Coordinates of all heavy atoms in Angstrom, one line a residue:
E191 N 84.5 65.6 126.3 CA 85.0 64.9 127.5 C 84.3 63.6 127.7 O 85.0 62.6 128.1 CB 84.9 65.8 128.7 CG 85.7 67.1 128.6 CD 87.2 66.7 128.5 OE1 87.7 65.8 129.2 OE2 87.9 67.4 127.8
T192 N 83.0 63.5 127.4 CA 82.3 62.3 127.6 C 82.8 61.2 126.7 O 83.0 60.1 127.0 CB 80.8 62.5 127.5 OG1 80.3 63.5 128.4 CG2 80.0 61.2 127.7
M193 N 83.0 61.6 125.4 CA 83.4 60.6 124.4 C 84.9 60.2 124.7 O 85.2 59.0 124.4 CB 83.3 61.3 123.0 CG 81.9 61.6 122.6 SD 80.8 60.1 122.6 CE 81.4 59.3 121.2
K194 N 85.7 61.0 125.3 CA 87.0 60.6 125.7 C 87.0 59.5 126.7 O 87.7 58.5 126.6 CB 87.8 61.8 126.2 CG 88.4 62.8 125.2 CD 89.2 63.8 125.9 CE 89.7 64.9 125.0 NZ 90.4 66.0 125.7
L195 N 86.1 59.7 127.7 CA 86.0 58.7 128.7 C 85.4 57.4 128.2 O 85.9 56.3 128.4 CB 85.1 59.2 129.9 CG 84.7 58.2 131.0 CD1 85.9 57.6 131.7 CD2 83.7 58.8 131.9
A196 N 84.4 57.5 127.3 CA 83.7 56.4 126.7 C 84.7 55.6 125.9 O 84.7 54.3 125.9 CB 82.5 56.8 125.9
A197 N 85.6 56.3 125.1 CA 86.6 55.6 124.3 C 87.6 54.9 125.1 O 88.0 53.8 124.8 CB 87.2 56.6 123.4
R198 N 88.0 55.5 126.3 CA 88.9 54.8 127.2 C 88.3 53.5 127.7 O 89.0 52.5 127.8 CB 89.3 55.7 128.3 CG 90.2 56.8 128.0 CD 90.4 57.8 129.2 NE 90.9 57.0 130.3 CZ 90.7 57.4 131.6 NH1 90.0 58.5 131.8 NH2 91.2 56.7 132.6
I199 N 87.1 53.5 128.0 CA 86.4 52.3 128.6 C 86.2 51.3 127.5 O 86.4 50.1 127.7 CB 85.1 52.7 129.2 CG1 85.3 53.6 130.5 CG2 84.3 51.5 129.6 CD1 84.1 54.2 131.0
A200 N 85.8 51.8 126.3 CA 85.4 50.9 125.2 C 86.6 50.0 124.7 O 86.4 49.0 124.1 CB 84.9 51.7 124.0
E201 N 87.8 50.5 124.9 CA 89.0 49.8 124.5 C 89.4 48.6 125.4 O 90.2 47.8 125.1 CB 90.2 50.7 124.3 CG 90.8 51.3 125.6 CD 91.9 52.2 125.4 OE1 92.2 52.6 124.3 OE2 92.5 52.6 126.4
K202 N 88.7 48.6 126.6 CA 89.1 47.5 127.6 C 88.4 46.2 127.2 O 87.5 46.1 126.3 CB 88.6 48.0 129.0 CG 89.2 49.3 129.5 CD 90.7 49.2 129.5 CE 91.3 50.5 130.2 NZ 91.1 51.7 129.5
S203 N 88.8 45.1 127.9 CA 88.2 43.8 127.6 C 86.7 43.8 127.8 O 86.2 44.1 128.8 CB 88.8 42.8 128.6 OG 88.0 41.6 128.6
P204 N 85.9 43.5 126.7 CA 84.5 43.5 126.8 C 84.0 42.5 127.8 O 83.0 42.7 128.5 CB 84.0 43.3 125.4 CG 85.1 42.6 124.7 CD 86.4 43.2 125.3
V205 N 84.6 41.3 127.8 CA 84.2 40.3 128.8 C 84.4 40.7 130.2 O 83.6 40.6 131.1 CB 85.0 38.9 128.5 CG1 84.6 37.9 129.5 CG2 84.6 38.4 127.1
A206 N 85.6 41.2 130.5 CA 85.9 41.6 131.9 C 85.0 42.7 132.3 O 84.6 42.8 133.5 CB 87.4 42.0 131.9
L207 N 84.7 43.7 131.4 CA 83.9 44.8 131.8 C 82.5 44.3 132.2 O 81.9 44.8 133.1 CB 83.7 45.8 130.6 CG 84.9 46.8 130.4 CD1 84.7 47.6 129.1 CD2 84.9 47.8 131.6
K208 N 81.9 43.4 131.4 CA 80.6 42.8 131.7 C 80.6 42.1 133.1 O 79.7 42.3 133.9 CB 80.1 41.9 130.6 CG 79.8 42.6 129.3 CD 79.4 41.6 128.2 CE 79.1 42.3 126.9 NZ 78.8 41.4 125.8
F209 N 81.6 41.3 133.3 CA 81.6 40.6 134.6 C 81.9 41.6 135.7 O 81.3 41.4 136.8 CB 82.7 39.5 134.6 CG 82.3 38.2 133.9 CD1 82.9 37.8 132.8 CD2 81.2 37.5 134.5 CE1 82.5 36.6 132.2 CE2 80.8 36.3 133.9 CZ 81.4 35.8 132.7
L210 N 82.7 42.6 135.5 CA 82.9 43.6 136.6 C 81.7 44.4 136.9 O 81.3 44.6 138.1 CB 84.0 44.5 136.1 CG 84.4 45.7 137.1 CD1 84.8 45.2 138.4 CD2 85.4 46.6 136.5
K211 N 80.9 44.8 135.9 CA 79.7 45.5 136.1 C 78.7 44.6 136.9 O 78.0 45.1 137.8 CB 79.1 46.0 134.8 CG 77.8 46.8 135.0 CD 77.4 47.5 133.7 CE 76.1 48.2 133.8 NZ 75.7 49.0 132.6
N212 N 78.6 43.4 136.5 CA 77.7 42.4 137.1 C 78.1 42.3 138.6 O 77.2 42.3 139.5 CB 77.8 41.1 136.4 CG 76.9 40.0 137.0 OD1 77.1 39.6 138.2 ND2 75.9 39.6 136.3

Side-chain angles (χ1 to χ4, degrees):
E191 293 300 320
T192 303
M193 296 303 286
K194 283 182 183 178
L195 174 60
R198 286 175 56 203
I199 294 170
E201 69 182 9
K202 305 299 189 294
S203 162
V205 175
L207 279 172
K208 288 177 182 177
F209 277 117
L210 175 58
K211 181 170 176 175
N212 180 296

